[in-house]
Amino acid sequence: MTGLDEIGAMIERGIRPPMMELLDIDLAEVAEGRVVFTAIPSRRLYNPIGTVHGGFAATILDSACGLAANSATKVPTDCITLELKISYHAAMHEKTGPIRAIGTVVSIGSRVAHTEAKLFDANDRVYASATSTLLLSPRRKRADTGEVGTGEEG
């Protein structure tokens, strides 16, 4: 199973990790080296100054960068963020409407991947962008769930 196969199965089964459930973020599309997340910003994401908290943009961009790298791996791999640089271009509000974060692989090696992601509204206005450096690590047994993912599964 490749990283792309693994992510495709998540979409087919409607699986959302707990953070994505909490923030109501959906994984909408996946291709090798590219993913798209979608969400609709709401007041429940507001910071004290009355705009969507930057942490929401950071979360969806970090996820897009990480899964873009994972989608390009030959076996399921842990893609661990080593560095994330975010630029905020415009504030989001509840009236922003649907957004999408598109993550793509810039380069990938055996141990490190470099990715980028951009956060757009329905009119292609950019709200935030990010670059990321990720450590690629063989999947190991998870202590919290007992799941095994060595990358050697068919």
Side-chain angles (χ1 to χ4, degrees):
M1 176 179 277
T2 67
L4 180 61
D5 294 335
E6 180 182 48
I7 298 166
M10 283 176 52
I11 292 174
E12 274 184 31
R13 295 180 190 145
I15 296 171
R16 286 200 305 182
M19 178 65 85
M20 301 299 122
E21 285 284 340
L22 178 68
L23 297 175
D24 201 19
I25 298 170
D26 290 307
L27 177 56
E29 297 175 33
V30 63
E32 187 174 335
R34 183 180 185 276
V35 296
V36 179
F37 283 93
T38 59
I40 300 174
S42 68
R43 291 184 65 79
R44 67 185 183 81
L45 300 170
Y46 275 21
N47 60 26
I49 63 170
T51 61
V52 172
H53 194 283
F56 173 73
T59 298
I60 196 169
L61 290 170
D62 184 38
S63 297
C65 285
L67 273 191
N70 190 285
S71 73
T73 63
K74 300 302 175 206
V75 297
T77 302
D78 290 335
C79 299
I80 303 157
T81 303
L82 294 173
E83 177 185 52
L84 182 68
K85 166 119 175 32
I86 299 173
S87 296
Y88 297 96
H89 303 269
M92 289 184 284
H93 303 273
E94 65 183 336
K95 293 181 181 177
T96 300
I99 57 165
R100 67 192 185 292
I102 301 173
T104 56
V105 171
V106 175
S107 66
I108 191 165
S110 61
R111 298 284 294 152
V112 175
H114 297 275
T115 59
E116 61 187 10
K118 291 185 180 176
L119 187 59
F120 300 95
D121 69 8
N123 296 314
D124 291 331
R125 180 178 183 192
V126 177
Y127 284 83
S129 58
T131 57
S132 182
T133 305
L134 300 114
L135 175 66
L136 307 179
S137 177
R139 183 74 50 83
R140 303 200 188 287
K141 184 175 181 177
R142 304 254 190 251
D144 59 338
T145 64
E147 293 176 9
V148 177
T150 64
E152 298 175 7
E153 298 82 20

